[in-house]
Amino acid sequence: MGWGSFYKSKKPRGFRYTYLTFDPKKKELERKIRLSKHRVDPEANPLTEEDLKENLRGRLRRNSERLAKYGDPEDFSESIGKKNRQLVFVLAILFAFTYWIFESLGITTWADFAQLFIFW
């Protein structure tokens, strides 16, 4: 089947079946009740492994989405300032290089500059 292909074929999507008796609101309510009972008396109501995994998964997802969208808030102002300084520096070098090239070609006025393009 894959003898003549030069690219990696995509894997088929996984099959997910949601049962008809599944109620996500009820499951979320039960989870919140377990968490609140744990906050009141942690020794009598320990968290299940599922609660710990879900809490960690949700926290990681929220953090990664926020970082992907906005970046780290502490580094945001520094990164904008750094990017602006780099842009000004590159533009200054580009302007100096262009000026040096025009001086070496003997182009000192706008008329000389226009003649350069008319003859091309």
Side-chain angles (χ1 to χ4, degrees), residues 47-72:
L47 289 177
T48 63
E49 198 173 308
E50 178 185 329
D51 291 333
L52 294 173
K53 284 181 183 178
E54 189 64 34
N55 188 17
L56 181 64
R57 185 180 304 131
R59 191 178 312 149
L60 289 174
R61 184 178 299 130
R62 281 191 304 272
N63 289 340
S64 65
E65 288 172 356
R66 181 182 61 82
L67 287 175
K69 188 172 183 180
Y70 300 111
D72 197 9

Side-chain angles (χ1 to χ4, degrees), residues 3-4 7 17 19 27 31 38 43 48 61 64 73 81 98-100 107 114:
W3 289 91
Y7 61 93
Y17 179 75
Y19 293 100
K27 186 174 182 181
R31 187 183 69 81
H38 173 73
E43 293 177 4
T48 63
R61 184 178 299 130
S64 65
T98 306
Y99 181 75
W100 177 72
I107 300 172

Side-chain angles (χ1 to χ4, degrees), residues 4-44:
S5 65
F6 293 105
Y7 61 93
K8 186 176 181 180
S9 61
K10 294 181 180 179
K11 293 183 178 179
R13 286 191 321 187
F15 179 75
R16 289 188 289 159
Y17 179 75
T18 305
Y19 293 100
L20 298 177
T21 58
F22 177 72
D23 187 10
K25 291 180 182 178
K26 182 179 178 184
K27 186 174 182 181
E28 181 66 22
L29 180 63
E30 290 173 355
R31 187 183 69 81
K32 287 181 179 180
I33 290 172
R34 281 195 312 270
L35 289 175
S36 62
K37 284 182 180 179
H38 173 73
R39 286 187 187 120
V40 172
D41 191 10
E43 293 177 4

Side-chain angles (χ1 to χ4, degrees), residues 84-102:
N84 287 340
R85 284 190 299 271
Q86 286 176 348
L87 178 65
V88 168
F89 182 71
V90 168
L91 288 176
I93 289 176
L94 187 63
F95 178 75
F97 184 70
T98 306
Y99 181 75
W100 177 72
I101 288 178
F102 284 160

